[in-house]
């Protein structure tokens, strides 16, 4: 006698679970001297107009990140590419 019963494969279960799970995208890079708010976030995989406005209009952020080269920067973006977290690290020098 032959019995046929459909089962869901493990791969199908994993794909379904992933589709229901929110995830974050992480990307790291080094700032470049010609970076604008738009180019920096685009290179980091984020398309977030509010984050661009903040980077462009916050005096301290603009001074420390934009137009500065060699700063290590890591971005966390949602699956729809909105910026969730931005971390910049660098060694201090004589310019402050």
């Amino acid at each position: 006698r032959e019995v046929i019963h459909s089962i869901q494969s493990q791969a199908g279960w994993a794909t379904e679970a992933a589709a229901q799970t929110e995830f974050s995208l992480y990307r790291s890079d080094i700032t470049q001297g010609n970076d604008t708010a738009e180019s920096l976030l685009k290179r980091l995989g984020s398309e977030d107009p509010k984050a661009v406005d903040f980077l462009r209009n916050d005096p301290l952020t603009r001074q420390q990140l934009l137009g500065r080269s060699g700063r290590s920067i890591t971005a966390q973006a949602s699956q729809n590419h909105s910026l969730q977290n931005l971390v910049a690290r660098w060694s201090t020098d004589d310019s402050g």
Side-chain angles (χ1 to χ4, degrees):
R1 172 171 116 167
E2 184 177 316
V3 176
I4 299 174
H5 181 72
S6 297
I7 60 170
Q8 186 176 15
S9 73
Q10 289 290 337
W13 175 82
T15 303
E16 185 179 307
Q20 296 174 0
T21 303
E22 288 281 325
F23 61 90
S24 295
L25 306 167
Y26 294 87
R27 187 170 288 170
S28 296
D29 208 332
I30 303 294
T31 59
Q32 300 173 3
N34 61 348
D35 276 334
T36 63
E38 294 87 354
S39 68
L40 180 62
L41 290 182
K42 185 175 182 178
R43 203 166 67 246
L44 292 168
S46 177
E47 298 173 13
D48 188 333
K50 289 181 182 180
V52 168
D53 286 343
F54 176 81
L55 290 176
R56 193 183 294 142
N57 295 314
D58 182 72
L60 183 59
T61 303
R62 192 175 63 241
Q63 175 191 19
Q64 295 299 324
L65 289 182
L66 303 180
R68 299 277 190 142
S69 60
R71 303 202 171 190
S72 175
I73 192 160
T74 301
Q76 176 186 356
S78 67
Q79 60 192 39
N80 68 357
H81 301 281
S82 64
L83 188 66
Q84 294 177 321
N85 193 17
L86 185 67
V87 176
R89 293 188 168 101
W90 64 91
S91 297
T92 59
D93 57 16
D94 292 337
S95 69

